[in-house]
């Protein structure tokens, strides 16, 4: 039985430990829940354990905006205070408040 709690929460801004991007958490999987093809595309020496939370991010880097799927071990909180400019943010969240985006919709 999995008893690990997610370290990051919806609306929180995080950044990747190894790659130059940051984003806002919009969903969390308690453990890996993507395709095996996606997982196998990660170089074997860099593959994260599947037995940890994985985060869906509205991500950005200097060139583009996209959705990222990242293991907890590869994320750090972003305390820069800088907003994320992803164009899909207003669909899910309100305006940034104290470095966090409040949910803009009702959860089930």
């Amino acid at each position: 039985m999995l008893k690990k709690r997610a370290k990051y929460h919806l609306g929180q801004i995080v950044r990747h430990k190894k790659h130059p991007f940051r984003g806002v958490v919009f969903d969390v999987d308690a453990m890996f829940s993507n395709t095996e093809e996606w997982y196998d595309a990660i170089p074997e020496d860099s593959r994260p354990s599947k037995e940890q939370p994985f985060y869906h991010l509205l991500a950005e880097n200097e060139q583009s905006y996209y959705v990222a799927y990242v293991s907890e071990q590869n994320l750090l909180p972003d305390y820069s205070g800088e907003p994320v400019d992803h164009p899909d943010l207003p669909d899910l969240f309100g305006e940034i408040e104290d470095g966090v985006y409040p949910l803009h919709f009702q959860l089930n």
Side-chain angles (χ1 to χ4, degrees), residues 1 34 39 79:
M1 180 180 199
N34 206 331
Y39 189 76
Y79 298 118

Side-chain angles (χ1 to χ4, degrees), residues 83-100:
V84 173
D85 295 322
H86 196 288
D88 294 338
L89 269 170
D91 294 339
L92 301 174
F93 299 99
E95 293 295 319
I96 192 169
E97 297 174 8
D98 297 322
V100 176

Side-chain angles (χ1 to χ4, degrees), residues 34-95:
N34 206 331
T35 65
E36 287 305 311
E37 180 180 61
W38 182 92
Y39 189 76
D40 291 342
I42 300 169
E44 193 170 345
D45 62 341
S46 299
R47 278 186 203 145
S49 165
K50 292 181 178 180
E51 305 297 318
Q52 64 180 309
F54 276 73
Y55 298 82
H56 300 261
L57 307 177
L58 293 176
E60 66 180 14
N61 61 26
E62 290 185 8
Q63 292 82 34
S64 65
Y65 303 106
Y66 52 97
V67 172
Y69 190 66
V70 185
S71 64
E72 186 170 274
Q73 76 185 51
N74 285 318
L75 290 175
L76 294 169
D78 183 307
Y79 298 118
S80 69
E82 295 293 319
V84 173
D85 295 322
H86 196 288
D88 294 338
L89 269 170
D91 294 339
L92 301 174
F93 299 99
E95 293 295 319

